[in-house]
Amino acid sequence: MLSPSLSAPQRHTMLRQMLTIRAAEDQVQTLFVENVISGTTHLANGQEAVAVALAAHVQAARGDTVTCTYRGHSHALALGMGLQPFFAELMGKAAGCSKGKGGSMHLTDLSIGLIGTFAVVGAGLPITLGAALTAQVKHSAAVHFTLFGDGAVNIGAWHESLNLAAVWRLPVILICENNLYGEYTPYALTSPVPNVADRAAAYGIPARIVDGQDAEALHAVLLEAVQHAQSGAGPTLVEAKTYRYRGHSRTDPAAYRPPGELEQWLQRDPIHILADRMIADGQLTPAAFDTLSHDIDSQVEAAVQWALQQPYPDTSTLYEDIWA
Amino acid sequence: MLSPSLSAPQRHTMLRQMLTIRAAEDQVQTLFVENVISGTTHLANGQEAVAVALAAHVQAARGDTVTCTYRGHSHALALGMGLQPFFAELMGKAAGCSKGKGGSMHLTDLSIGLIGTFAVVGAGLPITLGAALTAQVKHSAAVHFTLFGDGAVNIGAWHESLNLAAVWRLPVILICENNLYGEYTPYALTSPVPNVADRAAAYGIPARIVDGQDAEALHAVLLEAVQHAQSGAGPTLVEAKTYRYRGHSRTDPAAYRPPGELEQWLQRDPIHILADRMIADGQLTPAAFDTLSHDIDSQVEAAVQWALQQPYPDTSTLYEDIWA
Amino acid sequence: MTTLSYRDAVRRALDEELARDENVIFFGEDVGRSGGVFKVTPGLFEKFGPDRVRDTPISETAIVGAGIGAAITGLRPIVELMFADFAAVAYDQIINQAAKMRYMSGGQIKVPLTIRMAQGGGMSFGAQHSQCCEAWFMAVSGLKVVVPSTPADALGLLKTAIRDDNPVVFLEHKALYADYGEVPDAEHLVPFGQANILRAGHHVTIVAVQRMLRMALKAAESLAAEGIECEVIDLRTLVPLDLETVLTSLRKTNRLITVEESPLAGGWGGLLTSRILDEAIWYLDAPVVRVTMGESMVPFSPPLEAALIPNEQHIIAAVHRLGIKP
Amino acid sequence: MTTLSYRDAVRRALDEELARDENVIFFGEDVGRSGGVFKVTPGLFEKFGPDRVRDTPISETAIVGAGIGAAITGLRPIVELMFADFAAVAYDQIINQAAKMRYMSGGQIKVPLTIRMAQGGGMSFGAQHSQCCEAWFMAVSGLKVVVPSTPADALGLLKTAIRDDNPVVFLEHKALYADYGEVPDAEHLVPFGQANILRAGHHVTIVAVQRMLRMALKAAESLAAEGIECEVIDLRTLVPLDLETVLTSLRKTNRLITVEESPLAGGWGGLLTSRILDEAIWYLDAPVVRVTMGESMVPFSPPLEAALIPNEQHIIAAVHRLGIKP
Ligand SMILES: Cc1ncc(C[n+]2csc(CCOP(=O)(O)OP(=O)(O)O)c2C)c(N)n1
Ligand SMILES: Cc1ncc(C[n+]2csc(CCOP(=O)(O)OP(=O)(O)O)c2C)c(N)n1
Ligand SMILES: [Mg+2]
Ligand SMILES: [Mg+2]
């Protein structure tokens, strides 16, 4: 499919967001190695295009919402979570988006429509259904997005959610970030059909397979899906073929990857695909790209420094936020 | 599909089994109304052909096993559970197949390969997968059967089981008794695709739709599935289109059925389809049919009388059978 | 006052709250068109329409999850899981998601969700349709757990549950559906965390809920004939737990018996007694006796089931075991 | 004797049992080719092959169910659920099926299944990856519940679990994987239902398991310097529960403290104290104090998590609260 190219400002926004995510996650990795961030983390280097294409469609003011997985830094940042509350959360500081109580796997910011990044595989899907139910009952134009990995399609919650979304024709967009692996196990060992999208027919819903490294192609497919949802026709399953450059989580060296696989994917880096296109179209120069990258690195660095200086939550807050 | 007809003795066996199931379940209904059987029960009047076609393939001596649902009287009896332990179990007597501890929804008889009739929708499927795993690990020729309703296909356990059976190519036969309703709700209100079989493609496994009122057609389809499983090619999904004459459980008058629906299905009664064919083929006379029915009624009646006279389990058995 | 069955009291609560607040919606398996497996909800689908009262597929995980999502985004959903035993297939959504989302989000999220289900035995439904499941939900923090025993409480507590901004597990006892009782005609709300003293006495405090409360009251009646006066307390809600009412009673009776329709390791009595032991051991003049089902499943066979579930006789025996004299 | 980590002790048990009995099989997510998320199981796939050691899809319900079915038909499966918190998605198979099938079949079925999982906090994994989940499984009868605290017990209890003919929930504490300890070189089996007295004392009995045991031992060490001698008991298995060892200790100390890594309503201490209260109230010279996490989830923020989970200081405070003097 030839996707219509976006306007220069739209492309700039997406580029900026991808660079921000990349720089932020590189910092997260460093902070982990330095033990400034503890616990675990799941980086999305290589998958940034999905997050920014998503963000282009999410209108929190309209009531749109998003749920995604523990690999959710990219989505949170693309949707507009500030770098400061982001880093503060990962460090467990009081200024974190969730006051430090959530951590890397549990990012929530209702002001940008982010219900949460879910740490239990498949758990976010039915919750997005509920958000879509609200839209349906209230006759609003809101559209609701849920993201999951290729490994998540084998859990019961996934199936129940696709079925219910189809039966109730809910305004939901189900986005699979198929990065070829669930933890350390390749997709083909756990799923008997070549594509996740091959399962949509079981629910009578449309499915689209899209190049997950091409933010514009993703944007176009999601646009269709949004229109489909808003027309009352129900859910769409979108499968983005993508790749994570790093291991599953910080302790994983990804030794299970066949040699050369990473290198091949690095050739199709989502940031460079967009940047190259913008340069070819005269919307960006290599020098401007470098300046932008540099600016963003500085912003990220500043946010890290800010977060480092923030206090931890007072232990008096321990038993707060349990009950509404 | 033109199914090859079975031999006269095979047909006689199936006919006898169907008549036994019908007579036994009619007695169950009466005993319920008389409060001799308490709790709840789920009758399969109209669905008997599935049970007898299944039973023709299950070889307990080979290690074959079966799991089915709370609507499992028909399967238990077809597989060879005695009428005496059957009725005794339903009455909660010590002589019941499960010493009265199981009841109508929990019939087990390992000697005939019946692992259990499961009261939680979808719970039997993964357990049959495990039985099939044993066969695979031990390189035995055993084949494992699991039965479920049309409503069960929307529960997570169903999905996880089909996927795992496919990925591991387990010798499993997944039989859907599609009787058009899950409790009081018609299939189309809860499933977005016309047939349960339409979902098999999502797991890359073969599916067959078969007339659930025709024991011989069912037999033929199951034979194929057994051979497929034994060849190491993995599971088959078989969808039997059938109908239950009574409501979901004893308290259900089935008011949700459109007028005329039951009457239409009564025209295609599985017992009469087979009996008529046998009469046409000169293997049965109307008089012999009547004699057979009468004999069976007497046997069933005798078993009921026997069970009525059995003692309840001693309360000293209450805390037995918890630990092995 | 009107006389209403427990079943109809639940329906009245649903009806009143659906009518009061258009953000209230209700869904579950067979709850709409056919009025529910326990015949609790007929008429609601017709009255409030298919947007607000829905039949669902057999997908408990999706049902609870959709309830959570709808709750987060502004509705006040009530979902029904039919038999409480089935909550096990949706356990993650209940205890890991609904219960924890507010905390994990640092207080951004609220989940005003009511999860209704029918629990309990005594009806020959066997091991997977007869459990009292409170302990499953009390095991984590973040869920209110409500166990109405009378029609008035079923009405008043359910209305409170629906208006509560937290996830509430609302456990109806299926053996009580046909029980009748007096219910106020006017709007009736029962606050959470207030136990109810159903019978005053000074010899022993008996704490129970739901069907066990009925047994406790019968036992108290019999014991009264012997001159033993039992104070019978209905906890009404297990989370929050009204320890104060129990302690006040103990100060008077100095003896405690709990009656629980669950295995010993799976009741609320362990929590209750450990809290009393911490705060008020000096009030106790005797061992605390928990009358439970011991270590067990619920058998189908009616006489076995009857022997297993605590009844009047078990409670009287416990009182005698404590050596209580008139 | 060899020095082994808790992690390697678990692997040795799996290795020995897979080698001993060809009916033993092992499967779960990422446990085979890549040796497991906690690096507990490397080498087993290579040694025992893809028939007996399998990687699964992310399908916990199917994993547990397949374990049950294989167990019923003659194998002795071990399944891994990775983080214990994920047991919630397979809860029905664990508590309604595995636990009850023997009973519901009148004793025909046996389910020799071991369900391994890693529980517990202290590692900044947040609310859904840090829970101690014993109470979820103790809430119903039919499951043995095992909580090894040392490498030797991890080895000996896991081997016993695999050989047990009942479903066993085997809860490894993830914060202990890197702990080292002495382990016998010869075959080592630890029977279920035998608590272990790790430190003798006469002032107070402290009961704990796993990471809390470490805290209890530290507290006992500090208190010894004040002249207070704590008796520290490791329960090892929660079902079956060795009440006798605790009662014997209580006869000597007359004071009890439990240390539990769970919310107050979700620990094993309620059961323990209610049983003691029933059987041995007269031995108690003081309130029973349960040191728990109160009403809470596990926060991510490291200092918050540290403040929440009971530690040495909390235990010392409890001892002082009881007014125990040298
Ligand atoms: C129910 C459940 N089971 C297992 C896990 C452990 N786990 C975390 S991520 C993951 C792999 C998920 O793979 P995929 O869906 O492809 O997402 P990706 O990590 O590749 O983005 C697993 C098994 C979990 N979090 N929840
Ligand atoms: C997990 C679960 N949810 C709900 C129920 C209640 N229930 C029992 S039977 C049934 C309908 C099942 O319909 P179907 O699968 O079509 O089987 P049928 O009864 O028609 O044979 C339901 C919802 C249950 N037993 N288990
Ligand atoms: Mg993946
Ligand atoms: Mg059906």
Side-chain angles (χ1 to χ4, degrees):
Chain A
M1 188 205 56
L2 201 70
S3 56
S5 61
L6 297 175
S7 72
Q10 284 175 305
R11 284 174 155 185
H12 259 105
T13 300
M14 298 208 300
L15 184 64
R16 167 177 286 279
Q17 288 173 338
M18 286 200 281
L19 284 166
T20 304
I21 296 165
R22 181 72 55 89
E25 289 210 309
D26 286 345
Q27 281 285 349
V28 170
Q29 179 67 15
T30 306
L31 294 164
F32 255 110
V33 173
E34 293 169 355
N35 252 317
V36 173
I37 295 180
S38 52
T40 185
T41 192
H42 306 77
L43 304 179
N45 298 141
Q47 303 187 187
E48 295 89 348
V50 181
V52 302
L54 166 78
H57 291 290
V58 176
Q59 296 185 25
R62 180 172 66 190
D64 293 3
T65 68
V66 177
T67 61
C68 54
T69 75
Y70 46 84
R71 198 179 306 289
H73 303 162
S74 59
H75 314 98
L77 292 171
L79 289 173
M81 180 178 287
L83 285 164
Q84 293 182 345
F86 169 76
F87 280 111
E89 186 63 32
L90 269 65
M91 295 178 195
K93 300 297 184 72
C97 62
S98 305
K99 302 183 188 165
K101 286 177 173 167
S104 163
M105 294 199 282
H106 303 290
L107 304 174
T108 290
D109 186 345
L110 289 186
S111 74
I112 57 172
L114 182 62
I115 290 180
T117 62
F118 285 78
V120 176
V121 166
L125 282 99
I127 292 173
T128 287
L129 258 57
L133 180 58
T134 300
Q136 194 174 65
V137 169
K138 299 229 170 203
H139 305 286
S140 96
V143 179
H144 300 272
F145 301 83
T146 183
L147 294 101
F148 48 87
D150 49 287
V153 302
N154 297 320
I155 195 133
W158 186 86
H159 172 70
E160 295 190 9
S161 299
L162 266 83
N163 187 68
L164 188 62
V167 168
W168 284 359
R169 296 186 164 256
L170 294 172
V172 177
I173 301 172
L174 306 136
I175 305 174
C176 179
E177 295 182 272
N178 185 341
N179 61 9
L180 313 192
Y181 296 91
E183 282 184 350
Y184 322 140
T185 301
Y187 174 75
L189 272 183
T190 57
S191 284
V193 289
N195 305 295
V196 167
D198 298 339
R199 295 193 165 177
Y203 312 98
I205 66 173
R208 299 295 304 273
I209 296 177
V210 56
D211 178 358
Q213 308 311 89
D214 182 344
E216 290 183 289
L218 279 155
H219 185 280
V221 164
L222 291 177
L223 181 62
E224 266 181 61
V226 167
Q227 289 165 346
H228 187 77
Q230 289 184 322
S231 76
T236 301
L237 175 61
V238 175
E239 178 178 6
K241 303 282 194 185
T242 184
Y243 197 75
R244 56 167 158 76
Y245 298 159
R246 300 187 191 266
H248 168 71
S249 60
R250 80 164 159 149
T251 49
D252 169 26
Y256 45 81
R257 303 204 277 219
E261 188 180 80
L262 171 62
E263 291 66 27
Q264 230 180 325
W265 280 92
L266 284 169
Q267 299 302 314
R268 305 206 62 251
D269 185 78
I271 295 177
H272 288 110
I273 287 175
L274 183 62
D276 290 351
R277 217 178 271 162
M278 290 172 71
I279 291 170
D281 291 352
Q283 297 165 338
L284 185 73
T285 63
F289 178 80
D290 290 345
T291 311
L292 182 63
S293 300
H294 188 262
D295 280 3
I296 286 172
D297 287 349
S298 312
Q299 286 167 26
V300 167
E301 180 55 34
V304 168
Q305 290 309 322
W306 181 87
L308 283 169
Q309 264 130 55
Q310 293 303 305
Y312 284 109
D314 195 277
T315 54
S316 69
T317 65
L318 201 46
Y319 297 101
E320 290 173 4
D321 302 317
I322 295 178
W323 302 112
Chain B
M1 188 204 56
L2 200 70
S3 56
S5 62
L6 296 174
S7 71
Q10 284 176 306
R11 284 176 157 184
H12 259 106
T13 301
M14 297 207 302
L15 184 65
R16 169 177 285 279
Q17 288 173 340
M18 286 201 281
L19 284 167
T20 305
I21 295 165
R22 181 72 55 91
E25 289 210 309
D26 284 347
Q27 281 285 349
V28 170
Q29 178 68 17
T30 306
L31 294 164
F32 255 111
V33 173
E34 292 168 354
N35 251 317
V36 173
I37 296 180
S38 52
T40 185
T41 194
H42 306 77
L43 304 179
N45 299 142
Q47 303 187 188
E48 294 90 347
V50 181
V52 303
L54 165 78
H57 291 289
V58 176
Q59 297 184 25
R62 180 171 67 189
D64 294 3
T65 68
V66 177
T67 62
C68 55
T69 75
Y70 47 84
R71 197 179 306 288
H73 303 161
S74 58
H75 314 98
L77 292 171
L79 290 171
M81 180 177 286
L83 286 164
Q84 292 181 345
F86 170 77
F87 279 111
E89 187 63 33
L90 268 65
M91 294 178 194
K93 301 296 183 75
C97 62
S98 306
K99 304 183 186 164
K101 286 179 174 165
S104 163
M105 293 199 282
H106 303 290
L107 303 175
T108 291
D109 185 345
L110 290 186
S111 74
I112 58 171
L114 182 62
I115 290 179
T117 61
F118 285 78
V120 175
V121 165
L125 283 99
I127 292 173
T128 287
L129 259 56
L133 180 58
T134 300
Q136 195 174 63
V137 169
K138 300 229 169 204
H139 304 287
S140 94
V143 179
H144 299 273
F145 301 83
T146 182
L147 293 100
F148 48 86
D150 48 287
V153 303
N154 298 321
I155 193 131
W158 186 87
H159 173 70
E160 295 190 10
S161 299
L162 266 83
N163 187 66
L164 189 62
V167 168
W168 284 359
R169 295 183 165 260
L170 293 172
V172 176
I173 300 173
L174 306 136
I175 305 173
C176 179
E177 295 182 272
N178 186 340
N179 61 11
L180 313 191
Y181 296 89
E183 283 183 350
Y184 322 140
T185 301
Y187 174 76
L189 271 184
T190 58
S191 286
V193 288
N195 305 295
V196 167
D198 298 339
R199 295 191 166 179
Y203 311 98
I205 66 173
R208 299 295 303 273
I209 296 176
V210 56
D211 178 358
Q213 307 311 91
D214 181 345
E216 289 184 290
L218 280 156
H219 185 280
V221 164
L222 290 177
L223 180 63
E224 265 182 62
V226 167
Q227 289 165 347
H228 186 77
Q230 289 184 322
S231 77
T236 301
L237 175 61
V238 174
E239 178 177 5
K241 303 282 193 185
T242 183
Y243 197 75
R244 56 166 160 75
Y245 297 158
R246 299 188 192 266
H248 168 71
S249 60
R250 81 164 159 148
T251 49
D252 170 26
Y256 44 81
R257 304 204 278 219
E261 188 179 78
L262 170 62
E263 291 66 27
Q264 230 179 325
W265 280 91
L266 284 168
Q267 299 302 314
R268 303 206 62 253
D269 184 77
I271 297 177
H272 288 110
I273 287 176
L274 182 61
D276 289 350
R277 219 179 271 162
M278 290 172 72
I279 291 169
D281 290 352
Q283 297 164 337
L284 185 74
T285 62
F289 178 83
D290 288 347
T291 310
L292 182 64
S293 300
H294 188 261
D295 281 3
I296 286 171
D297 286 349
S298 311
Q299 285 166 29
V300 167
E301 178 57 34
V304 168
Q305 290 310 321
W306 180 87
L308 283 170
Q309 264 129 54
Q310 293 303 303
Y312 283 109
D314 194 275
T315 54
S316 68
T317 66
L318 201 46
Y319 295 101
E320 291 173 4
D321 303 316
I322 294 178
W323 303 110
Chain C
M1 286 284 182
T2 324
T3 300
L4 222 54
S5 69
Y6 186 91
R7 167 181 283 121
D8 288 339
V10 172
R11 190 187 42 241
R12 180 172 141 193
L14 294 170
D15 188 8
E16 286 181 7
E17 294 304 302
L18 279 157
R20 183 187 61 83
D21 180 352
E22 63 174 18
N23 290 321
V24 175
I25 60 168
F26 172 48
F27 53 96
E29 293 159 21
D30 302 292
V31 300
R33 289 168 184 77
S34 42
V37 164
F38 300 107
K39 304 279 168 272
V40 173
T41 58
L44 299 177
F45 175 81
E46 291 72 14
K47 181 162 173 190
F48 298 101
D51 247 14
R52 296 183 58 210
V53 177
R54 295 188 179 206
D55 292 312
T56 67
I58 307 173
S59 307
E60 281 81 1
T61 298
I63 292 169
V64 176
I68 296 170
I72 291 173
T73 49
L75 300 184
R76 294 194 165 274
I78 306 140
V79 299
E80 180 185 304
L81 294 185
M82 205 183 301
F83 287 82
D85 316 64
F86 308 158
V89 299
Y91 197 54
D92 176 70
Q93 286 290 330
I94 301 172
I95 65 142
N96 280 334
Q97 315 305 331
K100 297 180 171 58
M101 285 187 73
R102 181 170 182 78
Y103 194 77
M104 295 188 305
S105 71
Q108 289 178 76
I109 281 174
K110 67 177 190 195
V111 186
L113 169 68
T114 302
I115 310 177
R116 288 182 48 231
M117 49 190 116
Q119 70 170 2
M123 301 178 79
S124 311
F125 277 136
Q128 295 179 337
H129 284 69
S130 302
Q131 295 170 89
C132 279
C133 306
E134 306 108 342
W136 307 3
F137 308 108
M138 294 171 71
V140 301
S141 301
L143 300 167
K144 299 198 175 170
V145 180
V146 181
V147 281
S149 305
T150 64
D153 281 355
L155 170 66
L157 291 168
L158 181 50
K159 285 169 67 83
T160 300
I162 296 167
R163 299 186 193 188
D164 197 290
D165 275 343
N166 298 286
V168 179
V169 175
F170 194 85
L171 297 159
E172 297 157 24
H173 196 298
K174 67 176 91 70
L176 302 181
Y177 278 133
D179 270 22
Y180 282 79
E182 293 283 283
V183 173
D185 293 319
E187 169 133 302
H188 179 58
L189 289 158
V190 176
F192 289 174
Q194 293 193 4
N196 202 6
I197 301 173
L198 289 182
R199 184 184 176 108
H202 57 278
H203 285 110
V204 57
T205 302
I206 304 180
V207 180
V209 301
Q210 298 194 322
R211 190 155 170 261
M212 295 305 96
L213 196 67
R214 202 200 264 170
M215 303 298 179
L217 289 169
K218 275 194 212 165
E221 192 72 38
S222 301
L223 289 161
E226 297 179 25
I228 296 174
E229 292 303 335
C230 306
E231 182 136 311
V232 180
I233 296 180
D234 174 4
L235 291 172
R236 281 174 159 171
T237 62
L238 297 169
V239 182
L241 183 69
D242 179 3
L243 196 61
E244 218 30 70
T245 296
V246 179
L247 291 177
T248 305
S249 176
L250 270 185
R251 275 182 209 114
K252 181 167 63 171
T253 65
N254 307 111
R255 284 174 177 81
L256 177 64
I257 291 173
T258 67
V259 193
E260 304 163 59
E261 191 181 331
S262 46
L264 183 67
W268 41 263
L271 175 70
L272 185 73
T273 52
S274 73
R275 292 200 58 184
I276 282 161
L277 205 48
D278 188 358
E279 305 199 21
I281 186 173
W282 313 123
Y283 297 142
L284 288 174
D285 280 353
V288 171
V289 178
R290 294 178 59 197
V291 180
T292 70
M293 308 194 321
E295 181 175 75
S296 66
M297 288 76 175
V298 180
F300 163 72
S301 181
L304 286 188
E305 188 185 24
L308 177 72
I309 299 180
N311 61 27
E312 188 186 341
Q313 298 312 322
H314 296 112
I315 301 167
I316 293 173
V319 168
H320 288 150
R321 205 189 116 199
L322 286 182
I324 298 170
K325 304 243 164 53
Chain D
M1 284 287 182
T2 325
T3 300
L4 221 57
S5 70
Y6 185 92
R7 168 182 283 123
D8 288 338
V10 171
R11 189 185 45 238
R12 180 172 141 194
L14 294 170
D15 189 7
E16 287 181 6
E17 294 304 302
L18 280 158
R20 184 187 61 81
D21 180 352
E22 64 174 19
N23 289 322
V24 175
I25 61 168
F26 173 46
F27 54 95
E29 293 159 21
D30 303 292
V31 300
R33 289 168 184 77
S34 43
V37 164
F38 299 107
K39 304 280 167 272
V40 173
T41 59
L44 300 177
F45 176 79
E46 291 72 15
K47 183 164 173 189
F48 298 101
D51 246 15
R52 297 183 57 209
V53 177
R54 296 189 178 205
D55 292 313
T56 67
I58 307 173
S59 307
E60 281 80 3
T61 298
I63 292 169
V64 176
I68 296 170
I72 291 173
T73 50
L75 300 183
R76 294 195 166 276
I78 305 140
V79 300
E80 180 185 306
L81 294 184
M82 205 182 302
F83 287 82
D85 316 65
F86 308 158
V89 299
Y91 197 55
D92 177 68
Q93 287 290 329
I94 300 171
I95 63 140
N96 281 334
Q97 315 305 331
K100 297 181 171 58
M101 285 187 74
R102 181 171 181 78
Y103 194 77
M104 295 188 305
S105 72
Q108 289 178 76
I109 281 174
K110 65 177 191 196
V111 186
L113 169 68
T114 302
I115 309 176
R116 288 181 50 231
M117 49 191 115
Q119 70 171 2
M123 302 177 75
S124 310
F125 278 135
Q128 295 180 336
H129 284 68
S130 302
Q131 296 170 86
C132 280
C133 306
E134 306 109 341
W136 306 4
F137 307 109
M138 295 172 71
V140 300
S141 302
L143 300 168
K144 298 197 176 173
V145 181
V146 181
V147 282
S149 305
T150 65
D153 282 354
L155 171 65
L157 290 169
L158 182 50
K159 284 168 68 83
T160 301
I162 295 167
R163 298 185 193 189
D164 197 290
D165 275 342
N166 299 285
V168 178
V169 175
F170 194 84
L171 296 160
E172 298 157 24
H173 196 297
K174 68 176 89 71
L176 301 181
Y177 278 133
D179 270 22
Y180 283 80
E182 293 283 284
V183 173
D185 292 318
E187 169 133 301
H188 180 57
L189 289 158
V190 176
F192 288 174
Q194 294 192 2
N196 201 7
I197 301 174
L198 290 182
R199 184 185 176 109
H202 57 276
H203 284 112
V204 58
T205 301
I206 304 180
V207 180
V209 299
Q210 300 195 320
R211 190 158 169 257
M212 296 303 97
L213 196 66
R214 202 200 262 170
M215 303 296 179
L217 289 168
K218 275 195 211 165
E221 193 70 38
S222 302
L223 289 161
E226 296 179 26
I228 296 175
E229 293 301 335
C230 305
E231 182 138 310
V232 179
I233 297 180
D234 174 4
L235 291 173
R236 282 175 161 170
T237 63
L238 298 168
V239 182
L241 183 69
D242 179 4
L243 196 62
E244 218 31 72
T245 297
V246 180
L247 291 178
T248 304
S249 176
L250 271 185
R251 276 182 208 113
K252 182 168 63 170
T253 66
N254 308 112
R255 284 176 176 80
L256 177 65
I257 290 173
T258 68
V259 193
E260 303 163 59
E261 192 182 330
S262 46
L264 183 66
W268 40 264
L271 174 68
L272 185 73
T273 50
S274 72
R275 291 201 58 185
I276 283 162
L277 205 49
D278 189 357
E279 304 198 20
I281 187 172
W282 312 122
Y283 298 141
L284 289 174
D285 279 354
V288 170
V289 178
R290 295 178 58 198
V291 181
T292 70
M293 309 192 322
E295 182 174 76
S296 65
M297 289 78 176
V298 181
F300 163 72
S301 181
L304 286 189
E305 188 185 23
L308 177 71
I309 299 181
N311 61 26
E312 189 186 340
Q313 298 313 321
H314 295 113
I315 300 166
I316 294 173
V319 169
H320 289 150
R321 206 190 117 197
L322 286 183
I324 298 171
K325 303 246 162 51

